[in-house]
Amino acid sequence: MVVLTQSKGHGVTGLHVGIDNVRRYFPKRISAIELQLDHLQIQCGLSPNFWEGQPEIHDPRLCAWLESKQLHSKPNRAPVPLALVPAGKNSFRLQPIAMNGHAKVKLQPRPAA
C-alpha cells in the first residue's frame, strides 16, 4: 500500500495511511503495529482516532527515521509517498518507492551452501 509522510509543525513527522488502507490492511481495533524501518523494528501504538477518520501513525522513533532519510528537511514540504508492505500479523515494512511506482526491494544475500 502507498502511504504519505506527514509533517505537523517543527519536526513532527509521521505517516498518513488513508481510510481505505485502514479498512483493507488493518484488523479492526488493534492497538499497535510493528514497523520494520531498515534494520530497526519498532512497535507503534495506534490512537483511537486512527479508526475514526484520522488514519495517521506518529511515533518519535518513526519521526527520527523519516528525518534521517531527509524526507522532510524543510517545513511545509510536499508529502513523500512510501510503500508500507505487510510483513506478518500486524507487522509492516516501510520502504521507499522507486521512480516507476514500485517499492524498492532489498534483496537479502543467500547463505553459502
Side-chain angles (χ1 to χ4, degrees):
M1 81 186 91
V2 176
V3 299
L4 298 173
T5 58
Q6 185 174 48
S7 180
K8 291 183 177 181
H10 292 71
V12 179
T13 57
L15 296 175
H16 180 80
V17 177
I19 293 171
D20 291 336
N21 286 335
V22 168
R23 289 183 191 135
R24 185 171 182 185
Y25 295 102
F26 294 82
K28 220 169 184 63
R29 304 286 180 200
I30 57 172
S31 60
I33 61 167
E34 181 181 279
L35 283 182
Q36 299 172 19
L37 312 171
D38 294 330
H39 65 280
L40 179 66
Q41 287 186 306
I42 63 173
Q43 190 170 25
C44 296
L46 301 176
S47 75
N49 294 338
F50 185 81
W51 308 102
E52 297 170 7
Q54 294 179 9
E56 301 164 2
I57 300 171
H58 296 280
D59 182 277
R61 297 160 298 176
L62 172 61
C63 174
W65 185 84
L66 291 169
E67 289 177 358
S68 76
K69 299 296 183 184
Q70 299 179 351
L71 297 174
H72 275 294
S73 58
K74 297 179 183 173
N76 299 324
R77 187 172 169 192
V80 176
L82 296 168
L84 191 59
V85 181
K89 184 177 181 182
N90 303 332
S91 180
F92 299 87
R93 184 174 56 253
L94 187 62
Q95 57 193 51
I97 295 178
M99 296 303 278
N100 62 6
H102 293 94
K104 290 183 182 177
V105 177
K106 292 184 179 180
L107 298 176
Q108 299 296 327
R110 288 185 169 198

